[in-house]
Amino acid sequence: MNVRKRSRSALRLAVLAFFIFLVLFIYSSLNLMNVDLGYRQHELLRTEAELRLEIDALRARRAGLLSLERTERIALQELGYQYPAAGQIIKVVEAVRER
Amino acid sequence: MSANRKGKQRFFALSVFFLIWILAIVFRLFSMQVLDYTTYMAKIRAQTHRVEELHSKRGTITDRNGEILAISLQSKSAFISNKDGAHALAVFKKFCALLPISGVQKVAISKRIRRGEKFVWLKRKLTDEEYLKVKPLAADAWTAGTIAFLDEYRRVYPQGQLASHVLGGVGIDEQALGGIETSLDHEIKGRGGRLKVLIDARKRIFQFKYLEQPVPGRDIHLSIAAPLQFFVERELAAVVARYQAAGGAVIVMDSRSGQVLAMASCPGYDPETIWNTPLPVLKNKAISFLYDPGSTFKVVLAASALENRICGRQETFNCHNGVYAVRDRQITDVHPFARLSFDDVFVQSSNIGAAQVGMRLGSDRYFATIGRFGFGRRTGIRLPAEENGILNPPHKWSGVSLAFLSFGYEIAVTPLQMAAAFNVPAAGGFLVRPQILRDGATDVGGERVLSASGSEQLGEIMTAVVSRGTGKKAQVAGLEIAGKTGTAHKIKAGRYAGSYVSSFGGFFPARDPRVTLFVVIDEPQGLYFGGDVAAPAFRAIAEKIMLHLGILPGPPAVSEVRL
């Protein structure tokens, strides 16, 4: 009888210990996950900010490369082009063509 | 027995020792966790908690088609953490070997290091190329503790000097120093924020919370069209150089909406080095240059005369063969005329005829029209340092003021005020407020200052100025232009001097106006008449605008238009 009682109380203790362990395990796992998510979230935000800065830098570079000042310099100095003299640009009027 | 007793004693001693040891640990833990909780918590917080200041990035400024005119990029700024003067100087020398620094700056930095200042800037806002050159210094064991880099934003103007007076510029700390950067600074600069972070032993952030969310600066879309601005600036610079003028200004406006498509002021400057630019160069002549408008102001006189119906358009005025006296002052015409019709007074730009029209009109009616056309007050364009102009009320006028005001003297205006006034007949009689932002009004608004018929008649007179009058050099093949020339003596030290301001304003196509254009050349040498200096510049710019906006004549009389 005593042995039975003892084994039942030991089982209760074991179950209790298991639940305590389980609760602690879940609690600590969640905390660890939380910390890990914090790392990842910050890393992603940092990457996003870096990408935004890179996009801005590329946009600025593109604008600089396409700037009219640069285009004019290349055309005049490197390619030897000249501005057209008066009367050299001819724009054909569509309305006349249609007639 | 004795051995057993000894063993017990040893066990007892060991137990006491362990008990004391455990008690000591418990006490220490209790002391740390409970008694000195606040002290240790503060230490932990200092190591793991940090509040980071988040700097806001200035908004990007673009032209009306989204082309970037100003943008902020992240850059590095190099500084010295001066713990040991001699070492810091040696590190600085190494820095100079990699990245040349001007002699003046070198001396100033060396002085600051020798004085023992703990934090000394070496060079702020390095370009990418510069940073790549000096970056290894931060990794080198010998220099690493002494030299370091901070992140800062650097304002970049990728189009160079384009629209410099409209954009303005910023200082080394991104403080606005002129142009739209100043007038919209509160919107462009945004607001910084604060981030509370938790960091680990490796200084990696694993938890954060915004104490204050940063607000990025608003992007600004100007009404300026970059290609037009470019051609306008080129043409203005060419005219200023050709006539060795002191400067000039050009304004191109959308006649219907009042949006400024181009605004140029010569000489220009590089916005990235605005702090090195002399003050007179920084002045945006389009809004800050005050001058007597001369004959271009006859447009306002004509508008007033037509609106008040003081005479018929074919009625003639005695032009006294080019010389006429009003009280003790003499009024002259460049070309003498005996009599001119009302229309021809303006077409031939007769000062004597204009004075007679003005005197018949009377000071009150003329002053009322001048006020309605927006003179004597700012146009309200969102740019800083716009001048009001000078317009005295009639009770302050002398006996000759009305006559002289009739051909544009005794009043000071800005080129933008003149452009807005020239836009009145183009906008069907409405005074449209000039706008520098793309997202403003998109169609005719504002106050009606001239009736529809008055506006139409004024347009006809201005068209005749270009087709057969003083503005012939503004003619563009296949495009009907309405305009008016102006040549005015310039006031220097309170007196009219021997220098001039040449101007030409107008709009096109005359029958269905889309663009209003005003050109002012300050102190041209040699030729100085508006019809000789400003009108050809107007034509050159109008040709470019035609191509850019695809403005072509209605039913054409020719099969091709040569530009």
Side-chain angles (χ1 to χ4, degrees), chain A residues 35 38-39 41-42 45 53 56-57 59-60 63-64 67-69 72 83 85-93 95-96, chain B residues 57 68 71 73-74 153 158-161 200 204-206 208 226-227 230 234 547 555-556 558-563:
Chain A
V35 169
Y39 277 121
Q41 191 184 4
H42 184 261
L45 277 177
L53 290 172
D56 279 349
R59 284 175 71 204
S67 77
L68 294 161
E69 206 174 286
E72 184 192 49
Y83 271 108
Q88 274 189 317
I89 301 174
I90 300 166
K91 196 147 188 175
V92 178
V93 179
V96 174
Chain B
K57 178 176 160 288
I68 295 171
I71 190 168
L73 302 178
Q74 199 171 59
Y153 282 113
Q159 308 275 352
Q161 293 197 6
D200 63 12
R204 288 182 311 167
I205 294 168
F206 64 91
F208 59 92
F230 179 77
R234 281 290 179 277
L547 284 174
V558 289
S559 60
E560 61 185 36
V561 180
R562 283 180 176 269
L563 299 176

Side-chain angles (χ1 to χ4, degrees), chain A residues 72-90:
Chain A
E72 184 192 49
R73 197 182 60 241
I74 291 172
L76 296 178
Q77 292 174 9
E78 293 177 26
L79 302 176
Y81 288 171
Q82 285 182 344
Y83 271 108
Q88 274 189 317
I89 301 174
I90 300 166

